[in-house]
Every structure is written in structure tokens, then in C-alpha cells.
Amino acid sequence: MPSPLTPILLLLLLTTTATAATSQDSDLESDCTNRWIHIRHLPPEFNLDLLTNCSEYPLFDNFCPYISNHGLGQKTHNSSHSWYRTDPFMLELIFHRRMFEYPCLTSDPDLADAVYIPYYAGIDSLKYLFGPEVNSSFRHGLDFFHYLAHLDTPSIWNKNLGHDHFLVMARPAWDFSQPLSNDPPIFGTSFLELPEFYNVTALTFEARAYPWQEQAIPYPTSFHPPNLAFFESWLNRVRKSRRSTLMLFAGGGGISANPNVRRSIRLECDNVTNMNTNGTGYSKFCEFLDCSNGVCEHDPIKFMKPMLQSSFCLQPPGDTPTSRSTFDGILAGCIPVFFEELSVKRQYGWHLPESEYDEFSVFIQKEDVVFKGVRILDVLMSIPRSEVRRKREKVLEMIGRVMYRKHGSSLGLRSKKDAFDIAIEVTLQRIKSRKQQLADQR
Ligand SMILES: *[C@@H]1O[C@H](CO)[C@@H](O)[C@H](O)[C@H]1NC(C)=O
Ligand SMILES: *[C@@H]1O[C@H](CO)[C@@H](O)[C@H](O)[C@H]1NC(C)=O
Ligand SMILES: *[C@@H]1O[C@H](CO)[C@@H](O)[C@H](O)[C@H]1NC(C)=O
Ligand SMILES: *[C@@H]1O[C@H](CO)[C@@H](O)[C@H](O)[C@H]1NC(C)=O
Ligand SMILES: *[C@@H]1O[C@H](CO)[C@@H](O)[C@H](O)[C@H]1NC(C)=O
Ligand SMILES: *[C@@H]1O[C@H](CO)[C@@H](O)[C@H](O)[C@H]1NC(C)=O
């Protein structure tokens, strides 16, 4: 295992590349009106220092290998330009690095429309979730709040009482939503339950059903192209790929005897595998790629190939309704099949407009599959070819919006909005309306 960058080296890289990037970017989108962002200065205990313990959580993977390349992880191969062994929990680092390229940064908090807090909240939560402080997880965020609102230039917080602050928390919001009254906690910290942080916008992988603070943004995939040519050549490959499998399930679970949608998928997949596909245009109806125990997680080749060869990718809920796999599938041009509304429709509205879900995905109610004998195969085979083609075109259009391009990428690619750009753009709009509400109250 390679050792992670030392925090100091990482910090140097962050600051030096930042200056280069901002000056280069200044003419890209010259109008910064309403778009100024101030990055709050934090002591390293709230971000870089947290990386030094990357191998010290016995109940959690050693995440040292995934820190490299500013959180993209190592390249899949030495010759690879766009593909990395990315761990989604590293989005806090990826975001931090990309922030330095943002063209409208200001060092003056008074000029800022929004304030980014480069706190690695998810990584800091590991000591509560999997570490020695498991019994004091209600404390997550308290010292940090004290720093933000009292120790360091309190006027930055007080100007808008935190309504203009935002941060990334690279885990599902459930992991931070433990009621303060649960003592000892079941699982999760109470960060999002603390009144101290009610006013802050948190970007998470999954939001609760009726959230106030958080907004779900895409999980990072392993694809981080450095320029337009690599991005377009991938799109071409996806468009031309021969999809000889009707449906793919890449995941784990479904082994228990209790009825649940993963189990139904497993059984149906076994059952239809030997069915005659003559005349259907497919050579296989179903492929079940066993990704149990995280075997696929950092090995994108394992699942990207089958996804490229499949027409539909089944995206059942797992421990939580959403998963990274949804975005891997979109990246491969594989039409997602959802089984639960919370899986995406009520989540990723900023990146995948709610009105367009029917145009790029298929929805089958999970109860229909588990209890009413609806066969997924029959539903998918009944969709006319022309509609399948239209859906796939729509999925292809989404690729650029849900991927996180590589930091320092070429100007051509920067002119397209990726997941980061969209997250920032809508965060700014949201903060603007929050501040307006606050001003009306005052
Ligand atoms: C890292 O772990 C050591 C002991 O395992 C602990 O003393 C130290 O406070 C931890 N550092 C951080 C930044 O969490
Ligand atoms: C990849 O590059 C690293 C360092 O640049 C080198 O140590 C390693 O041997 C290379 N691996 C292959 C398979 O070429
Ligand atoms: C947390 O609390 C439980 C029950 O109160 C106890 O068994 C456990 O040892 C505690 N864990 C730590 C790390 O203190
Ligand atoms: C959050 O904003 C409300 C007003 O909208 C304010 O009353 C409250 O004190 C703020 N919370 C913090 C922790 O600043
Ligand atoms: C397998 O398919 C046959 C029809 O092809 C059906 O009768 C049977 O119920 C199916 N079994 C399961 C477990 O889905
Ligand atoms: C599929 O069709 C081919 C001819 O198109 C035929 O030779 C073959 O026997 C058929 N297979 C099955 C299983 O029906």
C-alpha cells in the first residue's frame, strides 16, 4: 500500500495549484456578480490532520490509498488518464481541491455571497462511527461550531448567522441524523440535529425525506477526465457499445430468506438466465455480478465493462435507498431501473431534474416485484425499442452533469458544467434566497 501524502505536502500542493488555477480562470466566466465565494480558513485539525489517521479505524477500511490525487485515489493503471480507484467518501477532498479552481473566490468575507467551510466532516465522523468516541457521537460538530462562531473572526458567522455557509459531508445524511436523545447512539452522529448547524447548507450523498439543511449531490464515480478529448472519446465508446445483456445487477445482498427486492432480483436472474433469447436481439437476459463484501468498490473495471454491455442496470435500495452504482451505471449509458422513489427522484433534483426521470429511467415499485409476482424481465421487454433508444440518449446527456472531472482539467472541459459546478451554482441560489428570508425577518 502506498503511503498517503503527508498533510504538509498536500497543503503545499493545494495552495500552489490554487494560485495558478484562479489566475488562469479569471476570464473564463468573467461575471462574478452574485457568485463570490469565500473559503473559510480552518486549522488543519478540521481537515488535513484528519487524514493522518487513515489506517487507524479498526472497523473501517484503511483509506490511506484513496487519499492520493486529491481524493481521486490512484489511477487504475499507470497509463490511464481518466480512471481512478475512487472512494466516494473522499468527496470532501475532491471538492476542496476543486474549490481552488473556482473562478470567483474572494479573500474578503464581506464581499462573499457564500462561504465554503473546508471541513472534512465525514472523515471526522469516523472516530464516532467506528472509533474510540463511539459513545459520545452527540459531540460531533460542537468544537467545530465553537471555532466557527466564537474563536475565529465571529463576524463571518454572525453576518448571516451561518445561512451563507456550506460544506460537503460525504456520507448519507442518516449518518449524521442521530436524535440527540439517543444515548448511547445506535449509529451515526447528531451533526445535522444540532441547532448550531441548522442554518448551514450541507451537501450529502443522500438526504432525509424532508430535510432543511441538506441536499443530495452525486456520488463520485471512478471517471475523472482531464480534458474534452478524453471525455468525448468515452461518450463515443458508450454510444457505440453493443449491449448484448438485457439487464444487469451489480451488487451484493439478497441471500437471506426474507422477502426483499434484492432477493427477488437474484431469484429472477437465476431463473431467466437459461431462457431462450432467440429473436430478442440480446444474447443474455440477465447478469448478476456479485459485488458482495466490497470486492468491486475500488476496481471499476469489474463493473464498468458489464455495465457497458447491458441495456438496463437494476438499482435496488441497499442499506440506504441510494448508491454510487446509480452513477456508475449512468456513466456507462446503462438505463437505470429504480424500485423506490427515495432512490433518486427525491434526491438529486439539482443534477437530474425530477421532471425528466421518466425520460431516462424505468420505475418498478419494489412491492410489485417482491409480493405481486411482477417480472422485471417482462416490464423491460415490453418497452419499445425506440423508447429504449430515447432513454439511452437521455442517459448520455446526463453523463457530463453527474461526473466530477479531474482538477486542473483543460479549459474546453471546464466550459461544461460537471457535478461540482452544478452543486456550487445551485448552492449559491439557495443561499441567496435564505439570506433574503433572513433579511425579511430582520
Ligand atoms: C489519531 O489517532 C491517535 C491515536 O490513535 C489520536 O491520539 C489522535 O488524536 C488522532 N488524531 C486525529 C487528528 O484524530
Ligand atoms: C507504475 O508507476 C510506478 C511509479 O511511477 C512504478 O513504480 C510502477 O512499477 C508502475 N507500474 C507498472 C505496472 O508499470
Ligand atoms: C460504549 O458504551 C457501551 C455500553 O454503554 C460499552 O459497552 C462500550 O464499551 C462503550 N464503548 C467505548 C469505546 O467506550
Ligand atoms: C439560525 O438562524 C436563525 C434565524 O433564521 C437564528 O435565529 C439562529 O440564531 C441561527 N442559528 C445560529 C446557530 O446562528
Ligand atoms: C421461473 O420461471 C418460470 C416460468 O418461466 C415460473 O413458472 C417460475 O415461477 C419462476 N420461478 C421463480 C422463482 O421466479
Ligand atoms: C435459435 O435460432 C436458430 C436459428 O435462427 C436455431 O438454429 C436455434 O436452434 C434456435 N435456438 C433455440 C434454443 O431455439
Side-chain angles (χ1 to χ4, degrees), residues 120-140:
Y120 298 168
I123 295 176
D124 198 20
S125 76
L126 293 174
K127 64 174 181 268
Y128 302 107
L129 300 179
F130 305 103
E133 301 194 40
V134 63
N135 288 339
S136 43
S137 66
F138 65 90
R139 292 203 51 83
H140 181 208

Side-chain angles (χ1 to χ4, degrees), residues 145 149 157-158 160-163 194-200 212 434 437-438 441-442:
F145 178 76
W157 179 274
N158 289 335
N160 291 290
L161 299 172
H163 285 282
L194 292 174
E196 283 86 344
F197 288 104
Y198 279 169
N199 300 343
V200 170
W212 162 247
R434 284 283 186 87
Q437 285 171 22
L438 187 68
Q441 279 169 26
R442 276 173 167 175

Side-chain angles (χ1 to χ4, degrees), residues 40 42 115-119 144 148 157 165-168 200:
R40 255 193 104 156
L42 298 183
V115 177
Y116 166 62
I117 334 178
Y119 170 46
F144 183 53
L148 284 182
W157 179 274
H165 283 49
F166 70 98
L167 82 169
V168 178
V200 170

